[in-house]
Amino acid sequence: MAFCLFFTLLAVVFFFIRLPNIGGGHIESGAGSLCFPHMMFGVVGNFMHVGAEVGVGVLLAPLLAAPIPRRRLGCRKLATGCARPAPA
């Protein structure tokens, strides 16, 4: 509820504030900042970073959701703990 009130108040404030007119509504055509090589490398690097994060999440979620296989570790009761050691 607090978020709703905060953003409503923020919207009302921005509705009544006079913001400066930037650029006069004219937008130049072209690649803009992508003409610079370091900006292009940054965009490609960010794209690869997000792709790696999504890929890890997609591959890790089924692994974490899979049940852990139970192995006999010398105990008769596996899930609740060892009641007594298994005979040799």
Side-chain angles (χ1 to χ4, degrees):
M1 185 69 169
F3 287 118
C4 179
L5 291 174
F6 173 73
F7 286 113
T8 303
L9 178 66
L10 192 63
V12 168
V13 167
F14 275 109
F15 182 75
F16 289 109
I17 289 179
R18 288 192 163 258
L19 297 174
N21 188 6
I22 299 175
H26 177 68
I27 299 174
E28 295 181 18
S29 63
S33 62
L34 294 179
C35 295
F36 302 103
H38 59 280
M39 292 296 290
M40 189 58 147
F41 288 138
V43 169
V44 170
N46 196 11
F47 180 76
M48 293 175 71
H49 177 264
V50 171
E53 280 190 14
V54 171
V56 166
V58 165
L59 294 174
L60 195 61
L63 179 66
L64 294 176
I68 299 173
R70 294 183 177 188
R71 296 183 183 151
R72 190 167 186 99
L73 300 174
C75 300
R76 290 192 180 183
K77 291 173 131 184
L78 296 175
T80 59
C82 291
R84 53 190 167 161

